[in-house]
Amino acid sequence: MRSLVAIPLAILAGLLPKRHWEDVDLPVRNLAFASALLTFWAGAALGITGYFPAMEAALKGREFTAPPVMLAVFLGYVFATPRGLVSLYLLLSGYFRVMSWWVAEPAGDPLLTGLDALVQRKRQSRQQRSQRDARHALEGAEEPDRRYDGEWAGLSAVDYVIVSARRKPGWTKGTWVITNDGWFMLGEPFDRPMPNGLRTVYPLTLHANSLEVLRKGVSYELPPLRKKPVNPANRLRQGYGGQEAGPEQKVTETTRAREES
């Protein structure tokens, strides 16, 4: 009994976008050809049964009608009446789905699939915009890139790191960064909290041999190399000449340490 109910339901579910077929507990994929073929037949039956009454009404009272007039009646029925448009769509969509099944890529109804893709893209766009806004809130104000040596980030096998206030499109692991100072291989980027906000750190390793196959590269102008920041606690303790720093000197040293970081 369940099979008798499942078969027609699966044929109807075949109209759904393909990505939803697995969401229903029905043999949709197995009956995809039947669903497509029945759609084609439904379009043909709807069009034929509606065409002859329309033709009789248009040619009423005429004993003989030239083929061009009959063709005009046919085109007017197909493209200018709701029934003709629906039958034409069912014919075309059914044929498309039959051919898709023939090449082992069964598909659902093209119109429903297109609408589903449009809704999905809009939903993803909203999610990406929300994530981007949340990320910008953590990053704070945009500022120029900074360059430090690898030791600053605790990376011994890295020549430099670029600290950026915004993620760089296309800067993924394995990308060549082409600069006037040489070609650098980009390591795995990572995030690091900084006093001014969350920052993205891009490790760069210099490669002497720039004749390797360039699969993906970006041009970039390296910012000036910054010195490794000194621990402000040590500065405040030492002061000048090994003496304890005074209040005014502590404020100056703290401000300078923040600028260097």
Side-chain angles (χ1 to χ4, degrees):
M1 186 65 183
R2 185 179 184 278
S3 299
L4 294 177
V5 176
I7 290 176
L9 290 179
I11 290 175
L12 289 175
L15 297 170
L16 297 174
K18 185 177 179 179
R19 72 185 190 93
H20 293 296
W21 287 0
E22 303 299 331
D23 298 338
V24 294
D25 187 19
L26 294 169
V28 181
R29 187 176 294 273
N30 296 336
L31 295 172
F33 176 72
S35 177
L37 192 60
L38 287 175
T39 301
F40 181 84
W41 286 346
L46 184 66
I48 292 172
T49 56
Y51 169 68
F52 287 109
M55 184 180 66
E56 291 178 1
L59 304 180
K60 188 176 182 180
R62 298 185 183 183
E63 296 181 358
F64 175 77
T65 304
V69 177
M70 297 181 65
L71 179 61
V73 173
F74 171 76
L75 294 177
Y77 165 75
V78 171
F79 294 104
T81 65
R83 184 165 183 165
L85 289 172
V86 172
S87 63
L88 179 62
Y89 175 77
L90 293 177
L91 279 170
L92 294 178
S93 63
Y95 177 79
F96 167 77
R97 293 172 60 204
V98 169
M99 292 297 101
S100 299
W101 175 86
W102 182 261
V103 296
E105 288 293 340
D109 181 79
L111 181 59
L112 294 179
T113 301
L115 292 175
D116 178 71
L118 180 61
V119 171
Q120 187 179 19
R121 281 197 298 268
K122 288 187 176 181
R123 184 183 297 113
Q124 291 177 348
S125 179
R126 287 197 299 268
Q127 291 177 350
Q128 291 173 357
R129 190 183 308 114
S130 176
Q131 293 173 357
R132 183 171 60 250
D133 292 343
R135 173 85 185 187
H136 287 176
L138 294 175
E139 293 170 338
E142 190 169 359
E143 61 183 22
D145 292 348
R146 299 186 179 189
R147 176 167 61 124
Y148 298 101
D149 56 24
E151 185 181 358
W152 176 89
L155 305 174
S156 58
V158 170
D159 294 290
Y160 303 119
V161 293
I162 302 298
V163 180
S164 177
R166 296 289 185 268
R167 287 177 174 173
K168 297 182 179 295
W171 282 49
T172 56
K173 182 179 180 180
T175 300
W176 286 97
V177 180
I178 305 170
T179 73
N180 293 332
D181 294 345
W183 289 34
F184 295 84
M185 179 65 72
L186 180 61
E188 185 69 41
F190 59 92
D191 293 337
R192 170 171 289 189
M194 302 285 286
N196 294 336
L198 186 65
R199 294 294 180 263
T200 305
V201 181
Y202 296 95
L204 299 180
T205 303
L206 180 63
H207 276 238
N209 182 14
S210 61
L211 299 180
E212 297 184 24
V213 177
L214 180 61
R215 295 183 176 87
K216 182 181 179 182
V218 294
S219 299
Y220 181 71
E221 183 177 351
L222 290 173
L225 179 63
R226 291 174 175 262
K227 295 181 180 180
K228 181 180 178 182
V230 178
N231 190 333
N234 293 337
R235 267 186 175 174
L236 296 178
R237 283 196 303 268
Q238 293 176 358
Y240 289 91
Q243 302 295 326
E244 177 70 21
E248 295 181 357
Q249 183 179 341
K250 288 182 179 181
V251 172
T252 303
E253 294 296 330
T254 301
T255 303
R256 185 181 303 169
R258 288 179 178 176
E259 292 177 351
E260 291 180 350
S261 63

